Amino acid sequence: MGGQHKVPQPIVFPDTNPDDFPLVLVASDARGVLFMLTKEGFFHMYDGLTGKRLMANKVSAEHFFIGGPFEANGGIFGINKTGSVLSLSVNSANMVPYVLNVLRDQPLALSLAQRGDYPGLAPMFQQQFQQFIQQGQYQQAAKLAASSPQGCLRTPATIQLFKSLPATQTSAPLRDYYSVLLDHGKLNEHETMELVQPVILQERKDLIIDWLAKDKLFCTPELGRMVLRLDVESAVTIFKRSGNKEELAKLYAELCQFDQLLAFVKEENFNPNWMALFVSVLNRSPANAAAFARTLIKSPGGPLLDTNAVVDALMERNMVKDTTSLLLDVLENTEEHAALQTKLFEINLKAVPHIANALFENNLFSFYDKQHIAHLCEQVGFYQRALQHYTDIADVRRLLISYGSTMQIEFVVTVFGKFTPEARLELMRELLKNNTNSVPTVAQVGVKFTGPPSANPDPSLFNPHQIIALFEEFQSYEGIFAYLQPIVALFATDKELIFKYIEAASKLGAVKEVETAVRDYEYDPERVREFLKEIRLDNQLPLIRVCDKHGFVSDLAHYLYRNNMTQYLQIYVQQLNPLKTPEVVAALLDENASDESIKELINSVGHLCPVGELVDEVEKRDRLPLLTQWLEARFNDGNKEPATHNALAKILISSGDDRAEPFITNNEYYDPAVVGKYAESHNVSLAFKIYSTRKCSNELVAFTNNNGMFREQARYLVLEQIPELWALVLDNANTHRRSVVDQIIQTVLPEIPKERADLVSATVQAFMHAKLPLELMELLEKIVLNTEGKVWDSQHLQTLLILTAIKADKTKVMDYVVRLDGYDPPSIADMALKYDLPEVAFKIYDKFNVKVKAAEVLVNQIGDLERAKEFAETCNEPAVYSVLASAQLNHNNVSEAIASFLKASDASKYEAVISAAKSSNAFDKLVDYLKMCRQNLQKLSGLKAKEKIESELVYAYAKTNQLSELESFISSNKNTQLQTVGDSCFNEGLFEAARVIFNAIGNWSRLVSCLVKLKNFSAAIEAARKSNHTTSWKEVCRACIENDPPEFRLAQLCGLNLINTAQELDELVHYYEIRGYVKELMALLEAGLTTDTSIALSTTLAILYSKYNLEKLAPHLQLFKKKKLNISKIVNVCVENKQWAEISYLHELDGDFDRAVRVIIEHPEVWKDSKFREVLVKVKSTDRIYDAIKFYLDFAPEHVVELLGVVSNRLDPVKVVQIGQKLDAIYIIQPFLELVQEKNIRELNNVLNELYIQDEDFIRLRESIARFDNFDSIGLAKSLESSQFLEARRVAAHLYRMNKRWKQSVDLSKKDKMYKDSMETIAESKDQGLAEELLRFFIEPEFGVKSPHCFSACLYTCYDLIRPDVVLELAWRHQITDFIFPYLIQTMRDFTTKVNTLHSVAQAQPLPTPGAVPVPGFVMGPNGPVQVGSNGQPGGFLPPPGVLPPGFVMGPNGPVQVGSNGPHGGPPGVGLMPPGQPFGF
């Protein structure tokens, strides 16, 4: 509507129909009017500025009930009661005529035409416009033209008119006109072009950007090309808005904005000429061409360029590096790319072989033409690579024979893998035939392709015997050894192969390897032994190893003794195997070696020699005394080895030495079994003494049995009492058992004194263990009925006799029980019961007046309850009644059992009685029994019995429904078991009884359960309040919810007591949720919110809001913040619900700003710039900041510079540059890079310099180079020297000059005819050759310059560098003498000044006398002192160092007189011109 306006008068609404009223009012800014629909179906239209009614019509017979704005036509719609939809708007063509002709309101028509852009008033506006111009009201004319309907005044003629109008000091008509147009809206095409042209000339890029942002310009391709020179980004925007796809695509390509190009063509479904675009990029920016091609070839929808064509185009410009990079990126290891793979290797082998070698190393491709590549590899000297690729064995043979010795053996081995075993073998044969140094290589090949031992060998691998045979063809033991050494361990069981290895190693003198082989591997021992004997190695250790390992020790000893190599025998027994000393000694004894040598050998081994075996070997040869001295020495040294003492004992026994008996008696180290066996054949008494003394029981039994010494054996048995020995002797298999038993009974037992009764008992036990009942009874009768008057343990023996009879003959047991009185009644009774003799047991208990035991036998073993009942009545003892009652109880005679217990007044079995009464439901009888138990509580130990009885009595009252007795009993008897009884009643459904019990004991929790069962919820809540336990509240709460209908109010009262406990809260929430009571649940939790709300409660409510009521979540989070929320738990739920804005805010609350930022980056739909930057400054990880930069570059590039400014202090500019380059958005972040360029970072400077070059902004490029020197100046110079722009090439020359590459700088300046730059460069270089070369360049015809003026200027600029003779020669030759006169004048002046100075100095110094020492640095010449030059020769007439006459200063070429022109010498007006002013012009 053209801004805000106040309307003083109200909108007029007619009152003709009092029932009608406005229903909807819609303002149309575009049309400048107001639309109104009324209830009665009327349509009204008003002027939007004055409120004047324009028209009113009834448009619907039915009432409208709803309406609103209709965007499709900028009008209004209404829906009446019949459902009809009416749309009403303005007919633009008729609006102005209607107002003029019908309403007759010209001012309103003008106003509406301006505000609503209605046609029909062009002549009127033209007339008004001319009036304003004529009256000088240019501002009003401009406003009228800007708002003219349909743009009738906005024509080129109007612009030309404003251009022609005179400007004043305060205003410019054309500028004011454009200002009004821009304020009014968007310019048309002609206005845009006319406005932008001067702006571009003024380089006001900011204005273009601002107008584009405000959409003020009419965008065309022509405008875009015009703006491109000033601002690339603005040009892109213009091309986009112009809709010219081809031009925009070309622009993207030229600007190297490849991602934007691809996005554009995809969005527009546009397919440009990709090859033409690529060639354009290649010509304009070769460095980016490969990247562009790569992007197109790897397009997700398929390649957009032919790779072969791209490669050809790149190689035409010899861009090997780019071509290689491109092919590596786009090639796949498939057969389809075989030709390109070949081309890749061919290009690099010819241009950069080391790159090709790296490609081979990486093994990226395998489908290229290997034969062709192999040939190329051979050409460049890559012989190993050639071998890898050649498949023809002839080529391989040729290379191996020629160059194999220069290659690594490991590589050569791999080459053989390409061929069959037969071809490999033949190739190996050729190598051995043609190259004697190839043995190691052939051996390694053999090792590589030898298969492991297998039942099913691999046919592609060698059999080791093939390789051995190959080496044997050339009699190469070296080859056999080199081949077998690495693999011999694998074939450790191949005897033939091991022999070949031993043979080769022996031939080569590798004794160590021979020794290892014979020690660790399998072979034919006899063959190897004979071979080693035959070859007679310098070291006999291998032979010793063979003989030791395979039991040829005797043969070894004979061989070494006969060949005078007994020293190896000593080595063998001392160092290798002392245990074989006996065999060696035996062989030496057989060879009749001297005793002294044998003793020496034995003594050298010492204690390591096995004594037993040595004694056996010597004893076999009847030479045992030979060892006497050696054995005695070991004995004297305290040796405790049994073999030593055995040998000594044998020597003493066999020699009949008197020391034999003391030795065997006192010595505890000999082996009695060995020595005793030896003594059996020499001295029987000594043998028995040895066995008995050393307790060799088994040997003693065998020895006495063999020699009939049964009495000695019986006496030894009884005295020693060895159970194992008894078992052996009394075993049924012992044929001498009866003889020994007779000796025990008849001889040995009578010898036993009374005080050794234990021996008798032990003997009896032995007979018992031997299960000899008859012999045992015989023995016992002998003992019990002894006639010698010895009194043994009669009770024990009587008991044992009866027990034996029980086991052996049960018919005698009752007789023994009746006749004997000294036995042990309990033991006999128990044994009788064990052997099923209950009557015997009853008889014993009755006989000895053990009534209770007798009763137990009757009820338990005999099982006669009636007899037991009679026995109890006869005895009339409570204990007997107790036994009877227990038996009756066991037989489930509960009533009779309780009666018996009452007679016995026995409460001890109360638990069993209670259990049985419960099982048989005899609670009435149980009440009487329990009352008796309470009377006898003093007989029961502990409080537990009392509690149990009273508890069961309570339970019995409950079961018999005696509630009054129950209450009375409970009131007077409180015990801890009431809880258990109450629980039982509750579990059995006796809720009233349980209620009484729980109420009495104050167990409110259980009382709650009872009341819940009785559905008394109010009372249950009161009980729960008393209980104040979560379980009770939970139970009542659930019962209220599950009730039909649910009691939510009561449930909420309970829930409020649960929600402050995390675990209970979770259960409560789950309980409500699964039943769908979410609304009631949230009401409950909201009711529980307080200032002290727990984290669990506030967190749970937040989760519920996230699930069911999202609009409440944000206020809730803001209310409780982090301290009252479990952030991670809420985040997990929000993630499930995809509520990303809330997730980011939660991470922010949690202080995890990194995650908050990451969430926004991953879900940009919730991004807000100011909020994002506020959070980003708080992140800890710089990586997240870089992620944010990438995000902004992709999603909101217009804000990225502001973002970088906020976090600039935490950024590494280099990384920012890398990100910008990777995303091809470096130009977007250019303002930031310029801001931080003061850090003088190399990468940063390089990028900015490149940007300035691309923008052709060489002024800023020079400033950057001057201020910041950390960049690749040479690289930049090289890139600029071929630029099409003169200023770029001047910068290149300046860079070469900075790096003291004078000639390159001068040549570049000369090429661009920047002669002043070249002169200044040479003057700075101080290079005389370059200066004179430049002189010739200016004047020599061959260079085509021929500029005497430049020649003269160079003389001035490079005055100190140019030799006068050269100047005179060139001037004379080219007839330009006039141009050198200023130079000559200055030169003559300088020369004259120097001569005068020297003359003055010479006059001031006295002449030296002949022979005098001259001034240091001078020698005496014929005309006076002469200064010595740097080479030691006279260097001209100069004063001594440091000596200058007044009025002189030291110049670059010597003393210079100070003139009016400064230190150039000469009178006023003669000196050199100031720098930069050439002579004569």
Side-chain angles (χ1 to χ4, degrees), residues 77-130:
F77 79 91
I79 304 176
N80 60 24
K81 290 188 176 180
T82 62
S84 299
V85 180
L86 285 81
S87 171
L88 301 108
S89 184
V90 175
N91 187 334
S92 300
N94 295 332
M95 173 60 89
V96 170
Y98 171 78
V99 175
L100 287 175
N101 299 326
V102 177
L103 300 182
R104 299 185 181 278
D105 191 342
Q106 182 177 345
L108 179 59
L110 286 171
S111 176
L112 279 172
Q114 287 181 309
R115 289 182 283 115
D117 199 25
Y118 295 114
L121 289 179
M124 186 180 299
F125 273 86
Q126 184 68 36
Q127 181 182 359
Q128 184 68 44
F129 177 74
Q130 291 298 333

Coordinates of all heavy atoms in Angstrom, one line a residue, residues 77-130:
F77 N -12.3 -14.7 -1.0 CA -13.2 -15.8 -1.3 C -14.2 -15.9 -0.1 O -13.9 -15.4 1.0 CB -12.4 -17.1 -1.5 CG -12.0 -17.8 -0.2 CD1 -12.8 -18.7 0.5 CD2 -10.8 -17.4 0.4 CE1 -12.4 -19.3 1.7 CE2 -10.4 -18.0 1.6 CZ -11.2 -18.9 2.2
G78 N -15.3 -16.5 -0.4 CA -16.3 -16.7 0.7 C -17.0 -18.0 0.4 O -17.2 -18.5 -0.7
I79 N -17.5 -18.6 1.5 CA -18.2 -19.9 1.4 C -19.6 -19.7 2.0 O -19.7 -19.3 3.2 CB -17.5 -21.1 2.1 CG1 -16.1 -21.2 1.5 CG2 -18.2 -22.4 2.0 CD1 -15.2 -22.2 2.2
N80 N -20.7 -20.0 1.3 CA -22.0 -19.8 1.8 C -22.5 -21.1 2.4 O -21.9 -22.1 2.4 CB -23.0 -19.2 0.8 CG -23.1 -20.1 -0.4 OD1 -22.9 -21.3 -0.3 ND2 -23.5 -19.5 -1.5
K81 N -23.7 -21.0 2.9 CA -24.3 -22.1 3.7 C -24.6 -23.3 2.8 O -24.7 -24.4 3.2 CB -25.6 -21.7 4.4 CG -25.3 -20.8 5.5 CD -26.6 -20.5 6.3 CE -26.3 -19.6 7.5 NZ -27.5 -19.4 8.3
T82 N -24.7 -23.1 1.5 CA -24.9 -24.2 0.5 C -23.6 -24.9 0.2 O -23.6 -25.9 -0.6 CB -25.6 -23.7 -0.7 OG1 -24.8 -22.8 -1.4 CG2 -27.0 -23.1 -0.4
G83 N -22.5 -24.3 0.6 CA -21.2 -24.9 0.3 C -20.6 -24.3 -1.0 O -19.5 -24.8 -1.4
S84 N -21.2 -23.4 -1.6 CA -20.7 -22.8 -2.8 C -19.5 -21.9 -2.4 O -19.6 -21.1 -1.4 CB -21.7 -21.9 -3.5 OG -22.8 -22.8 -3.9
V85 N -18.4 -21.9 -3.2 CA -17.3 -21.1 -2.9 C -17.2 -20.0 -4.0 O -17.2 -20.3 -5.2 CB -16.0 -21.9 -3.0 CG1 -14.8 -21.0 -2.8 CG2 -16.0 -23.0 -2.0
L86 N -17.2 -18.7 -3.6 CA -17.1 -17.6 -4.5 C -15.8 -16.9 -4.3 O -15.3 -16.7 -3.2 CB -18.3 -16.6 -4.2 CG -19.7 -17.0 -4.7 CD1 -20.3 -18.0 -3.6 CD2 -20.6 -15.8 -4.9
S87 N -15.2 -16.5 -5.5 CA -13.9 -15.8 -5.5 C -14.2 -14.4 -6.2 O -14.7 -14.4 -7.3 CB -12.8 -16.5 -6.2 OG -11.7 -15.7 -6.4
L88 N -13.7 -13.4 -5.6 CA -14.0 -12.0 -6.2 C -12.7 -11.2 -6.1 O -11.9 -11.3 -5.2 CB -15.1 -11.3 -5.3 CG -16.4 -12.0 -5.3 CD1 -16.6 -12.5 -3.9 CD2 -17.5 -11.0 -5.6
S89 N -12.4 -10.5 -7.3 CA -11.2 -9.6 -7.3 C -11.5 -8.4 -8.2 O -12.7 -8.2 -8.6 CB -10.1 -10.5 -7.9 OG -8.9 -9.7 -7.9
V90 N -10.5 -7.7 -8.6 CA -10.6 -6.5 -9.4 C -10.3 -6.7 -10.8 O -9.3 -7.4 -11.1 CB -9.6 -5.4 -8.8 CG1 -9.7 -4.1 -9.7 CG2 -10.0 -5.0 -7.4
N91 N -11.0 -6.2 -11.8 CA -10.7 -6.2 -13.2 C -9.8 -5.0 -13.4 O -10.3 -3.8 -13.5 CB -12.0 -6.2 -14.0 CG -11.7 -6.4 -15.5 OD1 -10.6 -6.0 -16.0 ND2 -12.7 -6.8 -16.2
S92 N -8.5 -5.2 -13.6 CA -7.6 -4.1 -13.6 C -7.9 -3.1 -14.8 O -7.8 -1.9 -14.7 CB -6.2 -4.6 -13.8 OG -5.8 -5.4 -12.7
A93 N -8.3 -3.7 -15.9 CA -8.5 -2.8 -17.1 C -9.7 -1.9 -16.9 O -9.8 -0.8 -17.5 CB -8.8 -3.7 -18.3
N94 N -10.7 -2.2 -16.1 CA -11.9 -1.4 -15.9 C -11.8 -0.5 -14.7 O -12.8 0.3 -14.5 CB -13.1 -2.3 -15.8 CG -13.4 -3.1 -17.1 OD1 -13.0 -2.6 -18.2 ND2 -14.0 -4.2 -17.0
M95 N -10.8 -0.7 -13.8 CA -10.8 0.1 -12.6 C -10.8 1.6 -12.8 O -11.6 2.3 -12.3 CB -9.7 -0.4 -11.7 CG -9.5 0.4 -10.4 SD -11.0 0.4 -9.3 CE -10.5 -1.0 -8.3
V96 N -9.8 2.1 -13.6 CA -9.7 3.5 -13.8 C -10.9 4.1 -14.5 O -11.4 5.1 -14.1 CB -8.3 3.8 -14.5 CG1 -8.3 5.3 -14.9 CG2 -7.2 3.5 -13.6
P97 N -11.3 3.5 -15.6 CA -12.5 4.0 -16.3 C -13.7 4.1 -15.3 O -14.6 5.0 -15.4 CB -12.8 3.1 -17.4 CG -11.4 2.5 -17.7 CD -10.7 2.4 -16.4
Y98 N -13.9 3.1 -14.4 CA -15.0 3.0 -13.5 C -14.9 4.2 -12.6 O -15.9 4.9 -12.3 CB -15.0 1.7 -12.8 CG -16.0 1.7 -11.6 CD1 -17.3 1.4 -11.9 CD2 -15.6 1.8 -10.3 CE1 -18.2 1.4 -10.8 CE2 -16.5 1.8 -9.3 CZ -17.8 1.6 -9.5 OH -18.7 1.5 -8.5
V99 N -13.7 4.5 -12.0 CA -13.6 5.6 -11.1 C -13.8 6.9 -11.7 O -14.5 7.8 -11.2 CB -12.2 5.5 -10.4 CG1 -12.1 6.7 -9.4 CG2 -12.1 4.2 -9.6
L100 N -13.3 7.0 -13.0 CA -13.4 8.3 -13.7 C -14.9 8.6 -14.1 O -15.4 9.7 -14.0 CB -12.5 8.3 -14.9 CG -11.0 8.5 -14.6 CD1 -10.2 8.4 -15.9 CD2 -10.7 9.8 -13.9
N101 N -15.5 7.5 -14.7 CA -16.8 7.7 -15.4 C -17.9 7.5 -14.4 O -19.0 8.2 -14.6 CB -16.9 6.8 -16.6 CG -15.8 7.0 -17.6 OD1 -15.4 8.2 -17.8 ND2 -15.3 6.0 -18.2
V102 N -17.8 6.6 -13.5 CA -18.9 6.3 -12.6 C -18.8 7.1 -11.3 O -19.8 7.8 -10.9 CB -19.0 4.8 -12.3 CG1 -20.1 4.5 -11.3 CG2 -19.2 4.0 -13.6
L103 N -17.7 7.0 -10.7 CA -17.5 7.8 -9.4 C -17.1 9.2 -9.7 O -17.2 10.1 -8.8 CB -16.4 7.1 -8.6 CG -16.7 5.6 -8.2 CD1 -15.6 5.1 -7.3 CD2 -18.1 5.5 -7.5
R104 N -16.6 9.5 -10.9 CA -16.2 10.8 -11.3 C -15.2 11.5 -10.2 O -15.4 12.6 -9.7 CB -17.4 11.7 -11.5 CG -18.3 11.3 -12.6 CD -19.5 12.2 -12.9 NE -20.3 11.7 -13.9 CZ -20.1 11.8 -15.2 NH1 -19.0 12.4 -15.6 NH2 -20.9 11.3 -16.1
D105 N -14.2 10.7 -9.9 CA -13.2 11.1 -8.9 C -11.8 11.0 -9.5 O -11.2 9.9 -9.4 CB -13.4 10.3 -7.6 CG -12.6 10.9 -6.5 OD1 -11.7 11.7 -6.7 OD2 -12.9 10.5 -5.3
Q106 N -11.4 12.1 -10.2 CA -10.1 12.0 -10.9 C -8.9 11.8 -10.0 O -8.0 11.0 -10.2 CB -9.9 13.2 -11.8 CG -8.6 13.2 -12.6 CD -8.4 14.4 -13.5 OE1 -9.4 15.1 -13.8 NE2 -7.2 14.6 -14.0
P107 N -8.8 12.6 -8.8 CA -7.7 12.4 -7.9 C -7.7 10.9 -7.4 O -6.6 10.4 -7.3 CB -8.0 13.3 -6.8 CG -8.9 14.4 -7.4 CD -9.7 13.7 -8.4
L108 N -8.8 10.4 -7.1 CA -8.8 8.9 -6.7 C -8.3 8.0 -7.7 O -7.6 7.1 -7.5 CB -10.2 8.6 -6.2 CG -10.4 7.1 -5.7 CD1 -9.5 6.8 -4.5 CD2 -11.9 6.8 -5.3
A109 N -8.7 8.3 -9.0 CA -8.3 7.5 -10.1 C -6.8 7.6 -10.2 O -6.1 6.5 -10.4 CB -8.9 8.0 -11.4
L110 N -6.2 8.8 -10.1 CA -4.7 8.9 -10.2 C -4.1 8.1 -9.0 O -3.1 7.4 -9.2 CB -4.3 10.4 -10.1 CG -4.6 11.2 -11.4 CD1 -4.4 12.7 -11.1 CD2 -3.7 10.8 -12.5
S111 N -4.6 8.3 -7.9 CA -4.0 7.6 -6.7 C -4.1 6.1 -6.8 O -3.1 5.4 -6.6 CB -4.8 8.1 -5.4 OG -4.3 7.4 -4.3
L112 N -5.2 5.6 -7.3 CA -5.4 4.1 -7.5 C -4.5 3.6 -8.6 O -3.9 2.5 -8.5 CB -6.8 3.8 -7.8 CG -7.8 3.7 -6.6 CD1 -9.2 3.5 -7.1 CD2 -7.4 2.5 -5.7
A113 N -4.3 4.4 -9.7 CA -3.5 4.0 -10.8 C -2.0 3.8 -10.3 O -1.3 2.9 -10.7 CB -3.6 4.9 -11.9
Q114 N -1.6 4.8 -9.4 CA -0.3 4.7 -8.9 C -0.1 3.6 -8.0 O 0.9 2.8 -8.0 CB 0.1 6.0 -8.3 CG 0.3 7.2 -9.2 CD 0.7 8.5 -8.5 OE1 0.0 8.9 -7.6 NE2 1.8 9.1 -9.0
R115 N -1.0 3.4 -7.1 CA -0.8 2.4 -6.0 C -1.2 1.0 -6.5 O -0.6 0.0 -6.1 CB -1.7 2.7 -4.8 CG -1.3 3.9 -4.0 CD -2.1 4.2 -2.8 NE -3.4 4.8 -3.2 CZ -4.6 4.3 -3.0 NH1 -4.7 3.1 -2.5 NH2 -5.7 4.9 -3.4
G116 N -2.1 0.9 -7.4 CA -2.5 -0.5 -7.9 C -2.0 -0.8 -9.3 O -2.4 -1.9 -9.8
D117 N -1.2 0.1 -9.9 CA -0.7 -0.2 -11.3 C -1.8 -0.5 -12.3 O -1.7 -1.4 -13.0 CB 0.3 -1.3 -11.2 CG 1.3 -1.3 -12.4 OD1 1.4 -0.2 -13.0 OD2 1.8 -2.4 -12.8
Y118 N -2.8 0.4 -12.2 CA -3.9 0.2 -13.1 C -3.7 0.9 -14.4 O -3.2 2.1 -14.4 CB -5.2 0.7 -12.5 CG -5.7 -0.1 -11.3 CD1 -5.7 0.5 -10.0 CD2 -6.0 -1.4 -11.4 CE1 -6.1 -0.2 -8.9 CE2 -6.4 -2.1 -10.3 CZ -6.4 -1.5 -9.1 OH -6.8 -2.2 -7.9
P119 N -4.0 0.4 -15.6 CA -3.8 1.1 -16.9 C -5.0 2.1 -17.1 O -6.0 2.1 -16.4 CB -3.8 -0.1 -17.9 CG -4.7 -1.1 -17.3 CD -4.5 -1.0 -15.8
G120 N -4.7 3.0 -18.2 CA -5.8 3.9 -18.6 C -5.5 5.3 -18.4 O -6.3 6.2 -18.8
L121 N -4.4 5.7 -17.7 CA -4.1 7.1 -17.4 C -2.8 7.5 -18.0 O -2.2 8.5 -17.5 CB -4.2 7.3 -15.9 CG -5.5 7.3 -15.3 CD1 -5.4 7.5 -13.8 CD2 -6.5 8.3 -15.9
A122 N -2.2 6.8 -19.0 CA -0.9 7.2 -19.5 C -0.9 8.6 -20.0 O 0.1 9.4 -19.7 CB -0.5 6.2 -20.6
P123 N -1.8 9.1 -20.8 CA -1.7 10.5 -21.3 C -1.8 11.5 -20.1 O -1.1 12.5 -20.2 CB -3.0 10.6 -22.2 CG -3.3 9.2 -22.6 CD -2.9 8.3 -21.5
M124 N -2.6 11.2 -19.2 CA -2.7 12.1 -18.0 C -1.4 12.2 -17.3 O -0.9 13.3 -16.9 CB -3.8 11.6 -17.1 CG -4.1 12.6 -16.0 SD -5.5 12.0 -14.9 CE -6.8 11.9 -16.1
F125 N -0.7 11.0 -17.1 CA 0.6 11.0 -16.4 C 1.6 11.7 -17.2 O 2.5 12.4 -16.7 CB 1.0 9.5 -16.1 CG 0.4 9.0 -14.8 CD1 -0.9 8.4 -14.8 CD2 1.1 9.1 -13.6 CE1 -1.4 8.0 -13.6 CE2 0.6 8.6 -12.4 CZ -0.7 8.1 -12.4
Q126 N 1.6 11.5 -18.5 CA 2.6 12.1 -19.4 C 2.4 13.6 -19.3 O 3.4 14.4 -19.2 CB 2.4 11.7 -20.9 CG 3.4 12.2 -21.8 CD 4.8 11.7 -21.6 OE1 4.9 10.5 -21.2 NE2 5.8 12.5 -21.7
Q127 N 1.2 14.1 -19.3 CA 0.9 15.6 -19.2 C 1.4 16.1 -17.9 O 2.1 17.1 -17.8 CB -0.6 15.8 -19.4 CG -1.0 17.3 -19.3 CD -2.5 17.5 -19.5 OE1 -3.2 16.5 -19.6 NE2 -2.9 18.7 -19.4
Q128 N 1.1 15.4 -16.8 CA 1.5 15.8 -15.5 C 3.1 15.8 -15.4 O 3.7 16.7 -14.8 CB 1.0 14.9 -14.4 CG 1.3 15.3 -13.0 CD 0.5 16.6 -12.6 OE1 -0.6 16.8 -12.9 NE2 1.2 17.5 -12.0
F129 N 3.7 14.8 -16.0 CA 5.2 14.7 -16.0 C 5.8 15.9 -16.7 O 6.7 16.5 -16.2 CB 5.6 13.4 -16.7 CG 7.1 13.2 -16.8 CD1 7.8 12.9 -15.7 CD2 7.7 13.4 -18.0 CE1 9.2 12.7 -15.8 CE2 9.1 13.3 -18.1 CZ 9.8 12.9 -17.0
Q130 N 5.2 16.3 -17.8 CA 5.8 17.4 -18.6 C 5.6 18.7 -17.8 O 6.5 19.6 -17.8 CB 5.1 17.6 -19.9 CG 5.4 16.4 -20.9 CD 6.9 16.4 -21.3 OE1 7.6 17.4 -21.2 NE2 7.4 15.2 -21.6

